[in-house]
């Protein structure tokens, strides 16, 4: 076949092959809205410097890890937003409490601060303690010394424990802790021997805050999106089914119009190769496909098919000698249309309104690859096919 | 026939203006992306009796749709509703300790982010439109044909917005994306038509328009059919992925509007431009 010697066709074949290899070996990863998991966006109360942002990231990572969540992605967006992606199903209620807790812990006796979260050296996981369900922890030597000084002679006074200015517990100071000696081991109890679900959550929140320390600023949750894995796989299945049917619909329209498999098949195959190119590209740059990216693929492939129709009709209408001129005109239309599509998507890409960035990326990438790889090859194929 | 093409040119524009009037009177439904709040969807086994759940959530909007894989329940609550109490009711109803045991999705958006979405979304659409207009002018470098393309794209958006208002399709990040996609699709056919009319030398003006029409309607129909299928499959198979269904619906309405705008308005203006305006000069 002479066609296989055409460099534009060869480039398309090589790129499709490369995409297939990328998809096969590197795989395609899906965003949490398709594979299941949660995305949480935290808003900080004030703008953070880069080093504060790093601290926040570290603390939040440690808090989530402490609660058995691994493989968590945390990254800042701008100077006042933190995005957290958790790729597994998790108890949202507890996570919300754990994340938004600033974690400033203080123990006050008789209006004097006895110790703070910074004086804590070791924390035990929540469980039953001698005085009820709660969290056992150990103070540093310095902390214990401070506590001993403040507590001295105050047996029977309440030890008011505050987490983020909220009173969490106020056990009475036993006389043997008020003897002025150093007592490093302490306990915060939240319930008796029969803790409720809420008590357990509360204990874990205290445990997490003591263990990971306090955040430099207050944060609150601005966005949560959580998808269970079962529903996520339904989404992927649904998208694939919808894609296949949409493809059949396009095939039907084109077959009705051209009634010639020699024209219809190249259009469909090229359209399909564009899907592969976009997926290969997504795999290459480690882009996680979400629902918005799928919409972008639909948009890119849709314009791709439109452009192939333009090329086909220009090729058919161009009389033998004027074919080159017709093709040139077809590409004038295609480049113009592609440029306007990219121009329309650019603001989304630059501004990156969170969820729509995926849409802009797949559309722009698809259109660029279309005009540089698949459409030039298609024009050669269709010219060849129509001549023979 | 040639006499009334100017009347035909105006009809889609009137339709676009009516759409805008509808939007300003009827308003647009807001998704929680824009209004803030919580949306919880659950895939329940088919034939679950959900009337009790509805009664227990008087402050929330509970929507139920049946699909081949079960019953989708979508619960929408505004910012003023306490999420934890909604969750507690859902947990009680389905008798689970933790919502992650269910096939469910939850989306919560606070007031800061939702107003940011709205603001940035509008900005994105505005800039997209301006950039598109600049590119179109750069392509043709003649004011009248460029203006016709830009007018058609603007009217398409107006008709799509009117359709959203009419069919209660919420304005959301997804439908903003759809409106931007629409700009791309709309301009595709308009550029093709304008290029054919202005650059082709063979055939009469009417023949060139007719030829372009054959190509353009094929282009539009492929997308229209694809979107109709997408809409139906999502609605009946995975109603929870309503993002895709909303995108498909907006494009469907916009593209049907685009058929009229391209072949009545834009073609009419080009006809006037070639046969009268240019000759008059």
């Amino acid at each position: 076949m002479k066609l296989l010697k055409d460099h534009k066709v060869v480039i398309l074949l090589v790129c499709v092959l490369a995409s297939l290899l990328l998809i096969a070996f590197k795989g395609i990863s899906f965003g949490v809205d398709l594979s299941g998991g949660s995305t949480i966006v935290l808003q900080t109360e004030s703008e953070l410097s880069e080093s504060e942002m790093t601290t926040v990231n570290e603390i939040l990572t440690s808090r989530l890890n402490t609660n058995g969540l691994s493989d968590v992605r945390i990254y800042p967006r701008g100077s006042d937003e933190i995005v957290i992606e958790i790729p597994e199903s998790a108890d949202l209620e507890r996570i919300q409490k754990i994340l938004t807790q600033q974690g400033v812990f203080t123990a006050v006796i008789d209006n004097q601060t006895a110790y703070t979260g910074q004086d804590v050296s070791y924390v035990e996981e929540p469980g039953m303690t001698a005085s009820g369900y709660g969290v056992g922890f150990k103070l540093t030597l310095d902390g214990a010394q401070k506590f001993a000084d403040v507590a001295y002679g105050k047996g029977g006074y309440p030890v008011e424990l505050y987490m983020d200015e909220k009173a969490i517990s106020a056990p009475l100071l036993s006389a043997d802790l008020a003897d002025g000696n150093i007592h490093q081991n302490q306990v915060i109890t939240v319930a008796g021997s029969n803790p409720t679900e809420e008590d357990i959550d509360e204990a874990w929140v205290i445990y997490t805050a003591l263990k990971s320390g306090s955040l430099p600023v207050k944060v609150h949750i601005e966005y949560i999106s959580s998808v269970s894995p079962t529903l996520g796989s339904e989404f992927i299945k649904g998208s694939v089914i919808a894609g296949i049917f949409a493809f059949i619909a396009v095939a039907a329209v084109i077959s009705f119009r051209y009634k010639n498999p020699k024209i219809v098949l190249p259009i469909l195959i090229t359209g399909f190769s564009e899907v592969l190119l976009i997926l290969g590209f997504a795999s290459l740059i480690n882009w996680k496909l979400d629902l918005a990216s799928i919409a972008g693929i639909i948009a890119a492939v849709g314009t791709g098919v439109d452009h192939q129709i333009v090329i086909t009709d220009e090729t058919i209408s161009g009389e033998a000698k004027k074919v080159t001129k017709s093709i040139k005109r077809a590409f004038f239309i295609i480049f113009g249309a592609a440029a306007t599509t990219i121009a329309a998507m650019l603001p989304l890409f630059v501004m990156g309104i969170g969820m729509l960035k995926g849409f802009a990326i797949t559309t722009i990438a698809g259109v660029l690859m279309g005009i540089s790889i698949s459409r030039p090859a298609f024009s050669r194929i269709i010219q060849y096919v129509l001549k023979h | 026939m040639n006499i009334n093409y100017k009347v035909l040119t105006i009809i889609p524009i009137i339709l676009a203006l009516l759409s805008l009037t509808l939007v300003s009177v009827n308003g647009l439904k807001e998704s929680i992306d824009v209004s803030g709040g919580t949306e919880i969807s659950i895939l329940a086994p088919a034939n679950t009796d959900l009337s009790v759940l509805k009664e227990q959530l008087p402050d929330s909007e509970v929507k139920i749709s049946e699909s081949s894989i079960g019953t989708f329940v979508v619960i929408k609550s505004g910012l003023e509703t306490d999420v934890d109490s909604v969750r507690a009711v859902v947990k009680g109803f389905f008798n689970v300790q933790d919502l992650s045991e269910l096939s469910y999705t939850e989306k919560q958006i606070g007031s800061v982010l939702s107003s940011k979405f709205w603001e940035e979304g509008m900005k994105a659409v505005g800039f997209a439109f301006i950039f598109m207009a600049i590119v179109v002018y750069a392509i043709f470098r003649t004011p009248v044909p460029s203006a016709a393309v830009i007018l058609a794209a603007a009217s398409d958006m107006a008709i799509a917005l009117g359709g959203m208002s009419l069919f209660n399709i919420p304005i959301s990040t997804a439908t903003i994306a759809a409106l931007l996609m629409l700009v791309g699709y709309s301009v595709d056919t308009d550029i093709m038509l304008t290029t054919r009319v202005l650059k082709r030398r063979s055939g009469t003006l009417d023949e060139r328009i007719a030829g372009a029409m054959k190509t353009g309607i094929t282009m539009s129909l492929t997308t229209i059919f694809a979107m109709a299928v997408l809409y139906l499959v999502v609605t009946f198979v995975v109603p929870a992925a309503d993002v895709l269904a909303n995108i498909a619906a907006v494009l469907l309405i916009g593209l049907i509007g685009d058929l009229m705008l391209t072949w009545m308005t834009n073609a009419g203006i080009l006809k006037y431009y070639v046969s009268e305006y240019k000759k008059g000069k």
Side-chain angles (χ1 to χ4, degrees):
Chain A
M1 275 251 290
K2 237 169 86 188
L3 199 53
L4 285 175
K5 284 185 190 146
D6 187 285
H7 71 281
K8 287 180 176 163
V9 178
V10 173
I11 290 174
L12 174 65
L13 287 176
V14 168
C15 291
V16 168
L17 192 68
S19 296
L20 281 173
L21 289 174
L22 274 169
I23 297 166
F25 290 105
K26 201 153 174 264
I28 295 168
S29 47
F30 291 101
V32 289
D33 61 345
L34 289 176
S35 65
S38 307
T39 307
I40 298 170
V41 178
L42 295 177
Q43 179 93 39
T44 62
E45 204 173 45
S46 52
E47 300 215 341
L48 295 186
S49 69
E50 220 164 288
S51 69
E52 282 175 314
M53 206 47 126
T54 316
T55 313
V56 171
N57 275 11
E58 276 166 9
I59 291 174
L60 293 178
T61 311
S62 128
R63 284 187 184 181
L64 291 169
N65 290 345
T66 303
N67 280 267
L69 295 168
S70 52
D71 210 12
V72 181
R73 258 181 87 204
I74 301 184
Y75 55 91
R77 195 162 68 196
S79 56
D80 61 350
E81 277 181 16
I82 298 143
V83 183
I84 298 160
E85 285 173 6
I86 303 164
E88 52 192 290
S89 61
D91 184 346
L92 268 191
E93 268 171 88
R94 181 184 287 175
I95 290 177
Q96 258 176 287
K97 284 184 195 155
I98 286 166
L99 290 177
T100 51
Q101 183 87 268
Q102 192 179 355
V104 177
F105 177 75
T106 45
V108 176
I109 304 171
D110 194 22
N111 289 327
Q112 272 183 288
T113 303
Y115 58 85
T116 68
Q118 286 175 336
D119 298 316
V120 173
S121 67
Y122 173 77
V123 193
E124 272 169 43
E125 282 193 15
M128 288 310 295
T129 68
S131 49
Y133 183 82
V135 183
F137 62 95
K138 206 171 170 177
L139 291 174
T140 59
L141 268 178
D142 280 357
Q145 184 61 56
K146 228 171 18 179
F147 176 72
D149 294 346
V150 174
Y152 182 65
K154 302 253 168 79
Y157 277 67
V159 185
E160 295 159 48
L161 301 173
Y162 294 96
M163 182 65 88
D164 294 341
E165 286 147 37
K166 180 185 149 222
I168 45 172
S169 151
L172 297 183
L173 186 62
S174 68
D176 41 321
L177 283 177
D179 57 3
N181 291 328
I182 286 177
H183 300 278
Q184 281 183 278
N185 292 320
Q186 300 279 335
V187 172
I188 300 170
T189 50
V190 293
S193 52
N194 257 328
T196 63
E197 181 79 14
E198 209 157 288
D199 295 329
I200 294 175
D201 274 0
E202 171 94 16
W204 274 95
V205 169
I206 294 171
Y207 164 71
T208 309
L210 285 183
K211 198 170 164 87
S212 60
S214 58
L215 295 175
V217 282
K218 279 193 182 154
V219 296
H220 67 268
I221 291 184
E222 261 304 312
Y223 177 85
I224 292 183
S225 162
S226 183
V227 177
S228 73
T230 44
L231 213 53
S233 61
E234 287 298 332
F235 284 168
I236 298 180
K237 215 168 77 191
S239 307
V240 171
I241 294 172
I244 292 170
F245 276 97
F247 199 75
I248 294 172
V250 171
V253 174
I254 296 174
S255 306
F256 183 78
R257 163 73 204 278
Y258 295 108
K259 299 186 179 71
N260 180 356
K262 274 163 74 182
I263 296 175
V264 174
L265 283 176
I267 295 181
L268 294 179
I269 292 169
T270 314
F272 186 65
S273 75
E274 284 185 10
V275 179
L276 292 177
L277 289 178
I278 299 174
L279 292 178
F281 176 73
S283 172
L284 183 71
I285 65 164
N286 290 320
W287 184 255
K288 290 188 180 220
L289 289 181
D290 50 11
L291 270 178
S293 310
I294 289 183
I297 296 178
I298 296 170
V301 176
T303 50
V305 170
D306 279 2
H307 294 175
Q308 289 164 37
I309 294 170
V310 172
I311 297 173
T312 308
D313 281 3
E314 288 286 348
T315 313
I316 292 175
S317 72
E319 306 92 60
K321 278 178 193 163
K322 288 183 184 159
V323 159
T324 6
K325 213 175 160 194
S326 291
I327 294 291
K328 236 174 129 182
R329 191 162 52 222
F331 273 90
F332 178 80
I333 297 170
I334 287 166
F335 285 134
T340 50
T341 305
I342 292 172
M345 294 301 163
L346 219 51
L348 269 192
F349 180 69
V350 178
M351 300 200 320
I353 327 178
M355 341 280 94
L356 286 181
K357 202 154 191 171
F359 172 70
I361 286 180
T362 40
T363 313
I364 295 175
V367 170
L368 284 178
M369 287 191 292
I371 56 173
S372 57
I373 301 171
S374 60
R375 273 152 237 175
F378 174 78
S379 105
R380 292 299 166 91
I381 295 169
I382 206 77
Q383 283 177 64
Y384 178 86
V385 164
L386 287 174
K387 253 191 244 163
H388 292 78
Chain B
M1 272 301 277
N2 271 353
I3 307 154
N4 57 12
Y5 82 87
K6 283 182 186 164
V7 182
L8 287 177
T9 304
I10 305 169
I11 293 173
I13 301 287
I14 294 171
L15 197 64
L17 290 174
L18 283 176
S19 297
L20 285 182
T21 317
L22 179 69
V23 173
S24 60
V25 174
N26 195 24
L28 284 172
K29 197 179 163 197
E30 292 186 342
S31 73
I32 63 156
D33 289 359
V34 175
S35 65
T38 307
E39 186 179 296
I40 296 177
S41 10
I42 300 147
L43 176 58
N47 303 319
T48 315
D49 181 19
L50 293 153
S51 51
V52 185
L53 183 68
K54 244 183 175 167
E55 277 166 31
Q56 285 175 319
L57 294 166
D59 298 328
S60 305
E61 183 193 323
V62 182
K63 209 179 94 195
I64 293 160
S65 48
E66 297 285 340
S67 88
S68 57
I69 48 168
T71 308
F72 274 102
V73 194
V74 180
I75 303 161
K76 272 185 200 157
S77 327
L79 278 173
E80 65 289 343
T81 314
D82 177 35
V83 186
D84 284 336
S85 64
V86 175
R87 284 182 182 152
V89 169
V90 174
K91 277 196 274 189
F93 182 82
F94 288 100
N95 200 11
V96 288
Q97 281 279 319
D98 176 357
L99 283 175
S100 55
E101 292 167 36
L102 298 168
S103 284
Y104 95 119
T105 72
E106 179 176 330
K107 199 166 156 189
Q108 242 188 75
I109 293 174
S111 56
V112 178
L113 207 59
S114 55
S115 51
K116 201 146 92 181
F117 270 159
W118 178 245
E119 207 179 285
E120 294 208 334
M122 289 300 103
K123 243 194 242 166
V125 173
F127 275 118
F129 197 81
I130 295 168
F131 288 171
M132 177 274 291
I134 294 171
V135 174
V136 167
Y137 188 77
I139 295 171
F140 294 117
R141 288 190 210 136
T142 37
V144 175
S146 304
V149 174
I150 295 161
L151 177 72
S155 308
D156 271 352
M157 272 198 185
I159 288 175
L161 284 169
M164 286 167 67
S165 178
L166 189 64
F167 299 111
N168 269 325
I169 302 166
I171 183 93
S172 65
T173 40
T175 44
I176 289 176
L179 289 173
L180 293 176
M181 270 159 106
L182 189 60
V183 174
Y185 283 122
S186 156
V187 170
D188 269 9
T189 46
D190 293 325
I191 290 183
M192 193 271 304
L193 167 69
T194 312
T195 311
R196 287 271 189 93
V197 168
L198 298 183
K199 298 217 162 176
R200 220 181 231 192
R201 292 282 162 262
S202 58
T204 65
L205 176 61
D206 282 338
E207 279 168 5
R208 277 180 273 164
I209 291 179
M213 210 160 165
K214 207 173 163 191
T215 305
I217 289 181
T218 314
M219 290 161 75
S220 299
L221 283 184
T222 51
T223 319
I224 287 175
F225 273 76
M227 289 303 144
V229 164
L230 190 62
Y231 179 78
L232 293 174
V233 171
V234 173
T235 308
F236 292 108
V237 182
V238 273
D242 59 351
V243 172
L244 288 180
N246 286 340
I247 290 178
V250 171
L251 280 178
L252 208 51
I253 299 164
L255 283 169
I256 291 170
D258 185 52
L259 278 179
M260 282 185 283
L261 275 153
T262 308
W263 308 111
M264 289 160 86
T265 307
N266 200 356
I269 295 174
L270 281 173
K271 214 164 164 178
Y272 162 79
Y273 174 75
V274 174
S275 58
E276 293 180 37
Y277 181 89
K278 262 169 102 179
K279 279 183 186 145
K281 269 196 167 176

